[in-house]
Every structure is written in C-alpha cells, then in structure tokens.
Amino acid sequence: MDDFGFGTQIRKSPYFDATVRWGAQGFSVYNHMYIPRDFGDPEQNFWNLVNTAILCDVGVERQVEIKGPDAARFVQMLTPRDLSKMAVGQCKYVLITNADGGILNDPILLKLAEDQFWLSLADSDILLWAGSGRAFGSGRVHFRAGCFALAVARPEIGRDHAGAVR
C-alpha cells in the first residue's frame, strides 16, 4: 500500500479505514473514490467467496436518490426499460441512455416508495447528467447523493434471495 498515492481530490468511502484494517493492500479509483482491489492472496480470496462469505465495500457505486411527485416519470425518462409495473421494494437492472440510445450507465434501480428511487451507479458522472435533464420536466424532482452501500457475497445468496430481484 505504500506505493499507492492517496490524493485529496479522490474521496474515501466511510468503510475505507475498515478495509485497511482487514487487509486491503491495493486500491483503484472508481467513481471518484478509492475501491479496495487487493486483499493479499487471490486464491484465498476466491475460496473465501466460494466457501464462506466476503464483505465488499461497494460504496463507490454511489447511491443517487431521485425523489418527488414526478420522480417515477423522471426515472422512466432515463431508461427504455418499462418501469410501470415496478413495485415498491423491487430492484431492477436498467440502462440509462442518451437521446440517441447510447448507454451512459447500467445501474441497479431500487423503488423505495411511489415517489422515491435509488440508483446504484456504475462508474460515471450520471448525477450531473440526470440533474441537467430536470430542466425538461416540471422541476418537482430532487436529487441527493450520499448513501454508501456494502455488499455481502456468499455461495447461498442466489438460493436465499432468488425472488428479491425480478
């Protein structure tokens, strides 16, 4: 880790110090944040994932909240995927596209309430892009970033949560 230069222009997730305590030895930059990439022996890391569980700092996949009376209509404008039957508490994998159909991001969308959504973003500045689109709507939508996710990966995750993502 001594070879990795930590700069002030790149953010650390709230879990950064814990990842160092648990053995993170190398980092990369993703979504303007440091993400742990090396926890020592890759073969041991693989067997931990296969046989037990691993906890992943995915805070770099920034959660962007879209909330307000027009949130559902606005989120639908971001993606070609039909969200009309999306239930509260449901997640969907979506593509965010530009006006020409080019893919800008491929986040997971979580519907928290009829007027509240979270996008778990891949590496891009989609918050700035989506915020600029607000000018084309009614303005009854607001954005907030600042939630940081953790992920648990374990062998049984597919069986235990098969119905959670539709």
Side-chain angles (χ1 to χ4, degrees), residues 1 6 12 15-27 36 38-39 57:
M1 204 162 79
F6 292 102
K12 296 177 183 176
Y15 315 114
F16 178 87
D17 291 335
T19 63
V20 172
R21 278 195 311 274
W22 283 94
Q25 298 175 3
F27 292 83
D38 179 6
F39 281 88
D57 177 0

Side-chain angles (χ1 to χ4, degrees), residues 28-48:
S28 184
V29 175
Y30 187 94
N31 240 351
H32 308 289
M33 294 181 73
Y34 294 110
I35 184 171
R37 293 286 188 202
D38 179 6
F39 281 88
D41 182 8
E43 186 173 346
Q44 183 59 50
N45 292 334
F46 170 78
W47 290 115
N48 289 344

